[in-house]
Amino acid sequence: MKNCSLSIMAYTYIYPRPAVTADCIVITREAEPKVLLIQRGDEPFKGAWAFPGGFMNMDETTEQCAIRELEEETGLKVSGLHQIGAYSKVNRDPRGRTVTVAYLAIVDAPMAVSGQDDAAKAQWFPLSALPELAFDHDEIMRDAIKKYKEIVNDGLI
């Protein structure tokens, strides 16, 4: 076999591959916690509320993707994420087979945000008054709240 670099070697697989996305759920640490949502500016679910997130670049981890997408869509910078889980239901995204990894960031209070990139708006919502969410984000939200309570109640932050 000739000398070749893995970084430029092309592969052909007979198996289809899903896209990978990452979502960042940001919740405040207040008596009445709030979550940061974006209003989608593009289809699918244009106009619906969702978590900041998007497709992973080839040169980043899912955690880096979640941090990047959050900043691109809301202007908010965070670190110290907690992985909530991976979500892979077959029809979770109408654009095609997509697996997402969701992360939780906990901040003390709401910060100034604005809809940027492909987000029409960014807004804080009380956990007790959430709008209808796009994709399978209602399921992810339930898991995020559970993770949030574990972290806050255990004094991990």
Side-chain angles (χ1 to χ4, degrees):
M1 185 168 158
K2 291 183 179 182
N3 257 349
C4 60
S5 169
L6 289 178
S7 63
I8 60 169
M9 185 178 274
Y11 292 93
T12 304
Y13 296 98
I14 60 170
Y15 304 103
R17 292 174 303 229
V20 178
T21 61
D23 293 317
C24 194
I25 297 86
V26 183
I27 301 178
T28 62
R29 196 164 105 177
E30 303 177 278
E32 184 174 355
K34 295 175 186 69
V35 64
L36 178 59
L37 299 175
I38 57 107
Q39 188 175 46
R40 291 185 52 81
D42 297 328
E43 294 294 349
F45 301 103
K46 183 175 182 176
W49 293 97
F51 302 125
F55 291 94
M56 184 177 74
N57 293 330
M58 294 301 287
D59 64 344
E60 65 187 354
T61 65
T62 54
E63 184 174 359
Q64 291 167 333
C65 175
I67 291 168
R68 175 184 54 78
E69 285 287 342
L70 175 66
E71 183 177 358
E72 286 178 2
E73 293 183 348
T74 71
L76 185 62
K77 294 181 184 183
V78 297
S79 60
L81 299 182
H82 306 271
Q83 189 177 110
I84 299 165
Y87 298 83
S88 62
K89 285 184 181 170
V90 174
N91 295 317
R92 63 174 304 277
D93 189 329
R95 295 170 291 192
R97 187 74 174 98
T98 306
V99 175
T100 198
V101 180
Y103 290 90
L104 172 65
I106 300 173
V107 297
D108 290 333
M111 298 177 219
V113 292
S114 63
Q116 301 173 28
D117 193 33
D118 56 351
K121 282 172 133 179
Q123 185 175 325
W124 295 94
F125 288 87
L127 291 182
S128 59
L130 294 175
E132 187 174 329
L133 299 175
F135 303 99
D136 57 352
H137 289 191
D138 55 339
E139 176 186 348
I140 297 170
M141 186 75 247
R142 283 191 298 273
D143 292 346
I145 291 169
K146 183 178 172 186
K147 177 68 109 178
Y148 170 86
K149 288 178 179 177
E150 288 171 7
I151 292 168
V152 171
N153 291 341
D154 289 347
L156 299 176
I157 59 162

